[in-house]
Amino acid sequence: MNAEKIINIEKVRAIIAEVLEVEIDEVKAETDLVEELDADSMMALEIMATIEKEFRVKIPENEIQNFTTLDAIIKIVEKEMR
Amino acid sequence: MNGDMSKKKPALSFQEILKIIPQRFPMIMIDKVIDINSESLVAIKNITGNEFFFEGHFPAIKIFPGVLLTESMAQATIILFNNSGQDMDSNLLPVLYHTDVRFKEVVVPGDQLMIQITMLKKVEGSAIVEAIATVEEKVVAKGKLTFTFKEL
């Protein structure tokens, strides 16, 4: 319950938009980052590294393949912050 | 990491660096490594007026090109990566994926570049590092580099 309060979803959205070089509005909860916004695995790594630094959380390397949407990323970060 | 390093034995000599990085003349942009562990590194590149690129960069005023400063950071990163317990497959070449470097001061012949690399994130075959280049303790460039190993 507390985790949801700690994670600033807009901050995560802004990080994704900055790495992918798209407008924040383009990153919706279910937007497919790979199919719709042309993300690649290195961009996913940059998103992961920025989130880790911003939220002081350690995300396992194998989760990078699950960095597919804003929603998915939030769920992973919430899980790791618990 | 500060102070007079001139008489200290380097952590890695020029010859040892050549065993790690694939670059060769005229693209070797690191002279020695003075401090290294698994997470960070400090390297030195001496800039001399005799370097080939000064003939054209520029004819009247000699300025160390920003892209080569970035190359120095990239080569230092390869050495750090090599020291951080990653297997370096000889079939794979390190290539830059993304650079975000700001250049704060010009670098000219006679300057000694000190390049500090700190690992921000490392996964299998890829890494993101923070790089800071200084001359006489003044920051001349800083930024982030993302690089990966590719089979080319």
Side-chain angles (χ1 to χ4, degrees), chain A residues 40 42-43 45-46 52 61, chain B residues 97-98 121 123-124 146:
Chain A
D40 61 29
M42 296 300 290
M43 288 171 172
L45 178 66
E46 291 186 344
E52 283 188 338
E61 198 178 308
Chain B
Y97 173 82
H98 181 196
K121 178 77 186 167
V123 297
E124 186 68 34
T146 304

Side-chain angles (χ1 to χ4, degrees), chain A residues 1-41:
Chain A
M1 286 296 254
N2 286 336
E4 277 174 43
K5 283 180 188 166
I6 297 165
I7 296 167
N8 182 337
I9 293 172
E10 286 311 308
K11 185 78 204 170
V12 177
R13 190 198 301 272
I15 289 169
I16 294 171
E18 193 185 338
V19 172
L20 302 189
E21 294 177 352
V22 298
E23 296 296 329
I24 289 180
D25 297 345
E26 291 182 67
V27 186
K28 299 194 173 67
E30 294 291 342
T31 306
D32 190 311
L33 304 183
V34 177
E35 294 294 325
E36 296 176 61
L37 298 180
D38 283 337
D40 61 29
S41 61

Side-chain angles (χ1 to χ4, degrees), chain B residues 1-47:
Chain B
M1 289 187 194
N2 296 324
D4 181 14
M5 304 286 183
S6 56
K7 294 296 177 194
K8 257 193 185 170
K9 192 174 180 291
L12 291 173
S13 69
F14 188 72
Q15 284 75 16
E16 288 167 322
I17 289 167
L18 291 186
K19 290 177 191 158
I20 300 169
I21 64 171
Q23 285 87 349
R24 288 297 177 263
F25 174 84
M27 283 302 289
I28 303 163
M29 292 293 148
I30 295 290
D31 289 330
K32 65 178 176 181
V33 173
I34 56 176
D35 193 17
I36 186 166
N37 56 49
S38 64
E39 291 297 315
S40 67
L41 164 151
V42 183
I44 297 290
K45 158 77 180 148
N46 291 303
I47 314 294

Side-chain angles (χ1 to χ4, degrees), chain B residues 14-93:
Chain B
F14 188 72
Q15 284 75 16
E16 288 167 322
I17 289 167
L18 291 186
K19 290 177 191 158
I20 300 169
I21 64 171
Q23 285 87 349
R24 288 297 177 263
F25 174 84
M27 283 302 289
I28 303 163
M29 292 293 148
I30 295 290
D31 289 330
K32 65 178 176 181
V33 173
I34 56 176
D35 193 17
I36 186 166
N37 56 49
S38 64
E39 291 297 315
S40 67
L41 164 151
V42 183
I44 297 290
K45 158 77 180 148
N46 291 303
I47 314 294
T48 90
N50 201 38
E51 304 215 50
F52 75 98
F53 43 78
F54 283 134
E55 192 178 342
H57 200 275
F58 298 96
I61 301 173
K62 308 305 175 188
I63 293 174
F64 186 58
V67 286
L68 295 182
L69 214 163
T70 308
E71 179 66 22
S72 288
M73 293 170 164
Q75 292 180 12
T77 303
I78 295 169
I79 298 165
L80 175 59
F81 204 75
N82 178 253
N83 199 56
S84 66
Q86 290 276 337
D87 270 341
M88 301 257 287
D89 187 330
S90 56
N91 292 324
L92 300 179
L93 276 176

